[in-house]
Amino acid sequence: TLCLATLAMPVQAQQIAITLDDLPYVLRSRTTPQEGMQIVHDVTAALKNHDIIATGLAIGNQINAETKPVIDVFAGAGHTLGNHSWSHPDYDTLTRWAFRREVRRTDRALRPWISGAKYYRFPYLREGKTEKSKRAAEQVLQNQGYVNVPVTIDNDEWRFNLEYVDALEMGDQKGADRIAAAYLAHMKERTGHFQTLAQQAMGRDVAHILLLHMNKINADHLDDLLAWYAAEGWTFITLDEALRDPLFSAPETYTGSKGLSQIERVLGE
């Protein structure tokens, strides 16, 4: 059993880094380039309102002449870009060589925007269902110079976005408003859940990493969510700062096919 007392180092409470998956933007088949650009403008405006430097994890095969301007806007606003695979596969369906290809192809696509640390996030947060496959992935990432980016506050934000977009497309603004309110309530509940889990299990809070996506519900309501964090006394930090928390270097006691919060991985779920 892992001795969690070794993790009980003092860390300033309520620190959070903001990460956004699936850049350039979610639901490209249902989103025009103009709408996609507006999503990124609105999200970066919300981040600017709270002086946040976020990290966006991009899917390589979604980066092309049509979407490069979107990436330019995000990076140009001072945010960090990271690698979220080439085609968003479940890692457990790949050979080691296929995984390396996923990482390398997106690495090449992101070179115009990455000059510092290189970050990778596994699609679906699935990092390998066996110890052997986990070690293989770690070796590939290490060889490519990448740092794995887990999350602490996992959530179902993507589901709310699908329902939100459906309501907007049907012209149901009242329905969209109800979904947005439920989304914000869900995010508050998930935040409290994982903060409590960390405090109960480790005797302290941790530096949190929030999982979000570059999507319409955040274009419209991210500012509301960030304002709630600020009102609750949270401090916004960068991903690099968050990853210095001892949680992220602690041994994991969970091995399996689930995509989990890093807190759950360390605790064995």
Side-chain angles (χ1 to χ4, degrees):
T1 303
L2 175 66
C3 179
L4 294 173
T6 61
L7 303 183
M9 296 176 61
V11 174
Q12 181 181 348
Q14 299 191 173
Q15 295 180 314
I16 191 166
I18 308 300
T19 63
L20 296 140
D21 281 8
D22 296 357
L23 270 68
Y25 45 85
V26 171
L27 298 178
R28 280 198 61 214
S29 64
R30 298 170 62 180
T31 308
T32 68
Q34 294 76 20
E35 290 168 339
M37 180 65 81
Q38 191 60 54
I39 286 172
V40 175
H41 275 299
D42 291 343
V43 167
T44 54
L47 295 169
K48 183 178 180 179
N49 285 345
H50 299 275
D51 297 319
I52 293 170
I53 298 175
T55 299
L57 291 306
I59 301 172
N61 70 6
Q62 300 295 305
I63 301 172
N64 54 36
E66 181 179 273
T67 59
K68 281 182 178 178
V70 168
I71 304 293
D72 284 335
V73 167
F74 185 78
H79 303 296
T80 302
L81 266 296
N83 187 328
H84 196 36
S85 80
W86 179 256
S87 61
H88 207 274
D90 180 340
Y91 169 64
D92 285 322
T93 68
L94 302 176
T95 65
R96 175 174 180 162
W97 310 113
F99 176 62
R100 185 175 70 170
R101 188 163 57 248
E102 286 275 334
V103 176
R104 292 180 71 174
R105 292 182 75 182
T106 303
D107 182 72
R108 287 193 292 269
L110 289 174
R111 280 179 186 170
W113 300 285
I114 296 180
S115 58
K118 298 203 297 185
Y119 299 116
Y120 183 86
R121 174 169 287 156
F122 286 86
Y124 314 108
L125 303 179
R126 295 174 187 163
E127 302 180 7
K129 61 185 177 182
T130 67
E131 283 297 326
K132 182 178 179 180
S133 62
K134 285 173 65 176
R135 299 292 86 77
E138 289 171 2
Q139 191 64 55
V140 169
L141 293 178
Q142 183 179 347
N143 289 345
Q144 298 295 319
Y146 275 92
V147 175
N148 179 31
V149 178
V151 306
T152 61
I153 303 174
D154 192 15
N155 55 78
D156 290 330
E157 162 251 27
W158 61 276
R159 294 182 187 272
F160 288 92
N161 181 67
L162 287 174
E163 295 176 5
Y164 184 76
V165 170
D166 285 344
L168 291 177
E169 288 182 352
M170 291 186 294
D172 182 7
Q173 187 60 54
K174 288 185 178 179
D177 291 344
R178 285 194 297 271
I179 294 163
Y183 160 59
L184 293 172
H186 170 73
M187 297 301 289
K188 294 172 185 179
E189 185 278 328
R190 289 288 82 191
T191 298
H193 169 77
F194 285 111
Q195 192 177 28
T196 298
L197 186 64
Q199 290 168 333
Q200 289 178 346
M202 300 176 185
R204 66 175 180 90
D205 201 3
V206 300
H208 286 277
I209 300 175
L210 178 65
L211 171 63
L212 297 172
H213 292 78
M214 186 63 77
N215 58 27
K216 178 61 174 172
I217 202 166
N218 284 319
D220 294 348
H221 298 284
L222 178 58
D223 193 57
D224 297 329
L225 179 61
L226 298 177
W228 173 78
Y229 278 114
E232 290 292 307
W234 288 77
T235 300
F236 299 112
I237 59 176
T238 65
L239 176 59
D240 178 65
E241 290 171 322
L243 288 172
R244 296 173 193 167
D245 191 290
L247 169 72
F248 300 106
S249 57
E252 297 182 9
T253 60
Y254 172 81
T255 300
S257 59
K258 294 181 180 180
L260 298 174
S261 161
Q262 190 65 14
I263 300 167
E264 295 167 318
R265 288 186 173 278
V266 170
L267 295 178
E269 190 190 2

